[in-house]
Amino acid sequence: MSQLELKRNQVLEARFVADEDVLKHISDNGGVKVRKDRAQLALNVKRFVKKLENISDDDDEAQEIMEEQNYVAVLGACAEASELAQTPGRNVTFDSSEYPEKPACTPQSSKKYSASNKPQLKSKKNEFVSTTPYRLRKRLTAPSLRSDSESDYSASCSEEEEEDKDHKETCDVILGQKTPSKTRAAPPSKKTPAKKLKEEMTSNLVEEYFEAHSSSKVLTSDRTLQKLQKRKLDQQTLLVLLNKAPPAFTAELKELNQQHESLFSKWMLQLHLGFSIVLYGLGSKRDLLEKFRTSLLRDSVHLVVNGFFPSITVRSILNSITEEVLDHVGTFRSPMDQLDLIMKRFKEDSSLELYLLIHNLDSKMLRGDKSQQILAQLASLPNIHLIASIDHINAPLMWDQAKQSLYNWLWYETTTFSPYLEETSYENSLLVQQSGSLALSSLTHVLHSLTPNARGIFRLLAQYHLENKDNPSYPGLSFQDFYQRCREAFLVNSDLTLRAQLTEFRDHKLIRTKRGTDGVEYLLIPVDNGTLTDFLEKEDEDM
Amino acid sequence: MSTSSVSKGCFVFKPSSKKRRISSSTADYFSEGKNDSEDSGLRFATCQLLWKQINSETEKIQEELNKQLFDNLISFLRQSYSEFQTKKTEWMCRMKSSEIPTAALVLGVNVTDHDVTFKSLSEVLQDNVTPYVVSLQAKECPGIKHLLQKLMGQLMDCCVDVDSFEEEECVNISQKKIRCSMASLSKWYESVTKKTGSETPSKKITSSSRHWQSPPIVVIFKDMESFTTKVLQDFIVISSQHIHEFPLVLIFGIATSPMIIHRLLPHSVSSLLCIELFQSLSCKEHLATVIDKLLLTTQFPFKLSEKVLQVLINIFLYHDFSVQNFIKGFQLSVVEHFYSQPLSVLCCQLLEAKKRVNSLSHNQCENIRSLPSFRRYVESQVSEKQIALLTEDSFLKEVTQTLLEDLHIYHENYFTVLRCLHVFTTSLPKYPLGKQIRELHCACLGKSVWETEEYGSTVQLLRMLAKDELVAILQKCVEIFISSSGKQFSNTVEKLEEFLARFQNLEIAETNEVQDVSVLSQKELQKKTDLYHLQKTLLELKESKRSKKLTKFEMLRFEVVDFIDSLVRSYLAPAEMQTLNEVVYFNTANTLREHLNAAPRIALHTALNNPYCYLKNQTLKSDVGCISNTAPDICIVYKLHLECGRLINLVDWLEAFSTVVTAVEGTDPDSVATDQVDEIIHARFIRAVSELELLGFIKPSKQKTDHVARLTWGGC
C-alpha cells in the first residue's frame, strides 16, 4: 500500500523545523493531541515503513522492522515502561548489557502493554523511530498519505500537525522530561503551559548534558560502514569525486571574498603599527591569505607556515627564520637560544622586516603552550608582522593574558565558507582510508617475500589475535605458548628459529612485543582487526 | 612558488635585494584601498604625531605612578645594603648573614602590565643603585641549572656595559667556560668589585656617583607564582650559604597575595628570607589617572564617544584589568578614526585646524556638508544663510572655523563643569551617578544627563546635604574653576564665593531664628483648653510646620543646587549635539569590539546555523533556528550532528545526510533508501565530517566501530 503511494510521489520533502516552532505547537495543541493520537501514529508508521522495501501492512512486517532496529525497540519499550511507571526524569540511555535479550523481550512487553489492535502497536513503533539519530530527517511527508489517514481534521493542517506531533515525541524522548503519557489514558486536560515548557527547555539543556554523560554506555545503532558495502575512499578518488560535485553559491562566495579583500591595505597598515592580525570564521582562510601574500607581500621578505602540516614544529619555523631569513649558520642548544638570537638580530637591525603568515595557528602541532609562547614572543617584535588564521572553536583558549598581550591581536572575522581542502588533506581523516590501505599492502608485500613457514607463523598469530579480539584484557600471545603452537603446526623446530623469525617481523613493524607484569614476553599485532581480517581472507584466496 | 607541499610546512620568500628597497611605507597603506583618500598624507602625519604625544603622556603617567613605589624600594635596598656593609666586619655577620633581604612586590592580577613596571624598575635600579640587576621569568628557568645560567649570563652582560670594551672578549670567553655555580659567581663578584676599587680615582668618582661601593646584586623574580617551588627553594638555600660573600637582594613579583610566599616555601626556607612587603598602585587607580590625563582634557583634540569608551572600560573591567590593553584600544580607535573619517584632518590643535580649514578641497567641503550634525546646524539657520552654507565654500570655511572654536570652548567648559559635578556626586550616598568620574563622563556624553532618573535623584539628595559638607564641596568647586583655563568662569567663581560668604553669615542668624519658633509654639500649648481645641491647635501646628517657611539655610541650599543644575544644563550638553562633533569624536564602537573582543565561537555558530547571514541567497532564507536544506554541506552535517548524543554512528549520519541532500535534488528516493548512496554524496559527506573534526566539533572515537564522539553540547 504504502509502496504504491511512494511511487506516486517520488519527490519527497525534507524539512528542518525550528525547535521554537515545535514548542509553540506543542503547547498550543497539547490538549487535543492525545485524542487524535492514534490515527496520526498510524501515519507516522507508514512514513517510516516506506523506506524499507517489500513491506506490506501486517504485523509480521512490523516485527521485522523491529528486529532490524532492535536497539531502538529496546529504547522505545523501556521508555514506555518507564512512562508507565511514572518515574520522574526517565533516562534515555540504557545499558547495552540489556541488549542481547531484547529481541525476545520486546514483542512480549509490547503485547503486555498494548491491546492487540494495530494502531497501538504501531504507535510504539513510531516511538522507536523517533529515537533513532536520524529520525528528524526521516520525516518525509508524502502529501497524498493524508488521504488515507483516519484523522478527522482538515487536510490543510494535518500535515503540519503530524510533523509537530512527531517532534513532540522526539523532544519527549530526548529531553527525558516527564510529560503525560500520550499513548495511554492520559487526561486530555493535562497540558503543559507554554511558559513552563520553555523554562524546562533551558533547565533541560543542563539536565540533557548530564544525562548524556551520566552513563559511560551510549546507545547508538550497530551499523558499520563495512556492512554498508562502502569502500573507504582514498584521498585521490575523494578529490576527483568532490570536483564532480556542483559548486554552490558561487556568486555569494565571491562577494564575501571581495569584502575581505578590500581590507588588505588596512591589514598592512595595522601590521605596520605593531598589531598582529588573526582571522577567524567558518571556511578555509588559506586562499584569502595566499591572495594577500601575492598581492601585497611580493616585495618583502615573508615566511609562510602551514600550521596544518602534520610534522610542523616551532623548531622548523625558527630554523627557517635563522637559516633562510637571517642566513645564520650554526646550531642551537635550545629553541630559547634560537629565539634569543632572532630577537637580538631583529632588535639590532631595524631595517630587517619579516612578515609571518601562519595558516592554522591552532593546529595540533602548534597549539602547545611552549610553541605559542615562542610564537608570541616573535610576534611581539616590532619588525616581525604576524598574520594568522584560526579555525578550532576553542582556539582562543590557547592564549592567556600574557600571551595575548604579546601577540597584540586584532581580530578579523573572515567567514569564507570555502572548503578546508588543503587543511584536511593531511589529516588522518575518519572516513578516508590512508594508513589502513598502506598497512594492508605492506602486510601482503612483506609476507610475500617470506618463506611459507614464516607466513604460517604470522597466520597463526593473526588468527589467535582475531579469536581474542573481543577480549578487552587480551595481553597478547605469550612467547612460550606461541612456540608450542608453532611446533604443533610443524612450522619451527627450535626456539631459536622462531626468535629469528620474530625479529624479522619486528623489523617490519608487523608485530610488537610487550613484557607482561609476570615478566613473560607477549606478542601483539599492531594492526586493526578489520585490516587483519581482510588480510587473512586474501591469504585464503591466494592459497 | 606554491605553498603547499607534502614534505615541508615552512616557506621563506626572499625577493631580490633590489626589489626589497622599494617596498612601500606605512603611509601608503594608509591611503591605499580607500575611495575617500582626501588629505590622507596629512591625516596620517597628524595621526602619528597625536599618537606619539599620547604615548609619551602615558609613559609619563606610568612613571609618576611608580615613583613612590620605586623610591620605597630603593630605600629598602639602601638599608639592607648598609647592613651588609656594617656587619661585614663584625662577628655577628656570621650569625645572621644567612638571611637574604627580600622585597615582595604585590602587583595585582593585571599580569600584562607587570612587564612595563619591571622594565622601568630595573632601569631605575640600574641608574641609581647597582649595575647588577637580573630579571628572571619562570618560563626561562625550569631547573636550578637554567636559573643560574640565566643569572650568570645576565650579570656578565651587565658588567660588560659598565666596564670598558677591552674586557668584552675575555668576558665572553669566560662566560662559556665558567661552570655556573654560586662559587664562581662569588668569585666573579670579588674580581669585579676589586677592579672598580683599583681603578683610577677619577673613574671611581664617576661610577660611584651613580652606584654605591660594592653594589648589591638584585635578582628580580618577575612571576613568583609560576616558578617551581623546588627551583626557588634550592636557589634560596644555596644563595643563603653565600650571602656573606656578596650582597644579594631578591625581589619577588607577586600577582595574588603575599601569602603565596609561605605557601610556596616551607618554613625552613622562608626563614632564610628577610621579607618586606611593597604594594603597588591598583590598576583601577592607574586607569583612573590615565582616563583623567588622556580623555578628560583638552590637551588632545581626539575624543572617544560614550559607546567606544564603554567598550574599552568593559574590556578592562570584565576581561583583563590591563591598562596596557586599554591604551592599545585607545590607539586602535585613534588609527581607526583617522583612517575612516576624511574630516579627521581637522582633528588637531585649534590654531592648526583653523589653518587647515582654509586649504580644504571642495570634496572635503562636501564632506562637511554631509555631516549629520552640520545638517542639523544648517536647518536651524535662516534661509539665506542656509543657501550660502550649502553653496559657497568660502563662507562654509569661515563658519567651520567658528564652529571649531565653539567646539573647543565647549570642551573646555565641559571638563571643568564635569569635575565640579563629580565633586558633588561623590559625596552622595549610593552614588546615583557613579563613583568614578569616568561613569559620570559616560552618562553626560551619551545623552542629556539632566533628563535621566539618576540625575533627578542626585539633585534630590543634594538638597539634603548638611551645611559643612556643602561648604567643603563648594570650596573644592571654586578651586576647580579657578584652576581651569577658561575665562568665562569668572562669574561662576564670584557667584560661588558669594554663596560661601552667605553660608558664613547664616551661622549667626540661624541660632536666633530657631529659638523664636520654639518659644511661640510652647506658649500656645501651655494655654488651658479643652480636648477639642487642643486637637485643633495641634493640627494647625502640624499644618504650619509642613508649610512652614523654609529656613534661610534651606533656601540658600536650594539656591546653590539650582545654580549647579543650571551649570550642568548649560555646559554638560551631550557631545553628539555639538556641531562638527564627528571631526573629533570616534564613535564606531562596533569595529572596536569586533577587533579587540571578538567572539569566534559565535561567528562559527552563526555561519553553521544560519548561513543566510553570510550568503545572501534567497534559497537559504529561513526562519530562526531552521536551516534550508540547500545550505552548504557542512551546515547540514552540523545540524544533523546536533541531534545526536555523545556518540554518533557514521552510517546513520551519512544516510541522514544523503536523504536531506537528495530530497533537494529531487532524485529517485528508492535508490537512496537502499544502500547505494551516491559516491559523490559520500565524498561530500566525508569532506564535511573532516571539516567538523578540524573545527573541533567531533573527534574519532574508539569506543565503537565507525563512531565519532561529539565534543560540544547545546548548540555550540
Side-chain angles (χ1 to χ4, degrees), chain A residues 205-215, chain B residues 713:
Chain A
L205 206 67
V206 181
E207 278 169 27
E208 203 183 324
Y209 175 85
F210 285 109
E211 211 157 79
H213 288 255
S214 56
S215 80
Chain B
W713 200 259

Side-chain angles (χ1 to χ4, degrees), chain A residues 234-236 238-239 242 286 306 308-310 360 419-430 432-434, chain B residues 4-6 686-687 690-691 693-694:
Chain A
D234 58 40
Q235 197 68 41
Q236 209 75 41
L238 184 71
L239 273 181
L242 284 179
R286 193 167 175 278
N306 289 342
F308 48 81
F309 184 67
N360 277 83
Y420 293 98
L421 271 187
E422 191 80 28
E423 286 90 331
T424 52
S425 67
Y426 292 108
E427 191 184 16
N428 208 345
S429 180
L430 301 162
V432 184
Q433 197 167 37
Q434 275 172 337
Chain B
S4 63
S5 150
V6 286
I686 291 175
R687 177 173 68 185
S690 41
E691 281 172 0
E693 191 187 349
L694 180 82

Side-chain angles (χ1 to χ4, degrees), chain B residues 385-398:
Chain B
K385 210 178 170 193
Q386 280 187 0
I387 294 166
L389 277 174
L390 293 178
T391 51
E392 286 172 44
D393 282 357
S394 57
F395 182 62
L396 175 82
K397 284 175 186 173
E398 248 172 64

Side-chain angles (χ1 to χ4, degrees), chain B residues 476-498:
Chain B
K476 268 190 216 161
C477 286
V478 170
E479 275 166 35
I480 289 170
F481 280 121
I482 288 174
S483 66
S484 81
S485 51
K487 286 160 201 127
Q488 55 285 335
F489 285 119
S490 52
N491 283 337
T492 322
V493 174
E494 266 173 38
K495 183 95 181 166
L496 287 175
E497 272 167 353
E498 187 201 319

Side-chain angles (χ1 to χ4, degrees), chain A residues 21 28 80 83 88 93 96 130 134 155 222 242 245 267 287 366 373 386 388 401 405 420 427 453 474 497 526 528:
Chain A
D21 290 346
D28 285 351
E80 260 189 353
E83 236 174 49
T93 51
S96 51
S130 68
Y134 53 99
D222 269 341
L242 284 179
W267 290 352
D287 291 340
L366 296 181
Q373 180 64 35
L386 172 68
Q401 295 292 352
S405 78
Y420 293 98
E427 191 184 16
N453 266 6
Y474 165 66
T497 25
D528 62 288

Side-chain angles (χ1 to χ4, degrees), chain B residues 173-187:
Chain B
I173 295 162
S174 62
Q175 186 188 337
K176 271 173 199 156
K177 279 183 184 168
I178 288 177
R179 268 185 64 248
C180 294
S181 69
M182 268 304 180
S184 55
L185 186 65
S186 65
K187 216 174 282 166

Side-chain angles (χ1 to χ4, degrees), chain A residues 375-533:
Chain A
L375 288 175
Q377 269 170 316
L378 275 183
S380 69
L381 286 173
N383 33 9
I384 288 187
H385 311 298
L386 172 68
I387 178 163
S389 68
I390 55 167
D391 284 305
H392 199 279
I393 42 167
N394 294 327
L397 300 183
M398 294 188 293
W399 305 312
D400 55 15
Q401 295 292 352
K403 283 195 204 76
Q404 273 194 35
S405 78
L406 278 178
Y407 272 123
N408 206 7
W409 288 126
L410 285 188
W411 298 74
Y412 275 89
E413 180 181 343
T414 53
T415 302
T416 61
F417 275 102
S418 38
Y420 293 98
L421 271 187
E422 191 80 28
E423 286 90 331
T424 52
S425 67
Y426 292 108
E427 191 184 16
N428 208 345
S429 180
L430 301 162
L431 301 169
V432 184
Q433 197 167 37
Q434 275 172 337
S435 57
S437 74
L438 279 180
L440 184 58
S441 63
S442 55
L443 260 185
T444 39
H445 270 285
V446 170
L447 286 179
H448 270 287
S449 62
L450 295 177
T451 58
N453 266 6
R455 257 182 278 173
I457 293 171
F458 188 75
R459 258 183 86 84
L460 256 182
L461 186 59
Q463 270 161 356
Y464 186 79
H465 197 75
L466 286 178
E467 279 163 26
N468 285 291
K469 69 179 172 192
D470 295 327
N471 180 7
S473 57
Y474 165 66
L477 184 57
S478 72
F479 180 78
Q480 279 310 321
D481 284 355
F482 192 35
Y483 176 58
Q484 208 55 45
R485 279 159 190 268
C486 287
R487 265 185 79 98
E488 280 162 15
F490 300 110
L491 291 170
V492 290
N493 51 9
S494 78
D495 183 304
L496 273 180
T497 25
L498 181 59
R499 279 206 187 276
Q501 208 50 257
L502 289 182
T503 315
E504 181 142 11
F505 289 155
R506 201 177 298 130
D507 290 346
H508 285 106
K509 301 224 162 59
L510 293 182
I511 61 162
R512 228 176 44 202
T513 49
K514 205 170 69 179
R515 223 166 258 290
T517 43
D518 45 357
V520 180
E521 205 176 359
Y522 287 106
L523 304 167
L524 281 170
I525 304 181
V527 180
D528 62 288
N529 292 332
T531 318
L532 212 56
T533 325

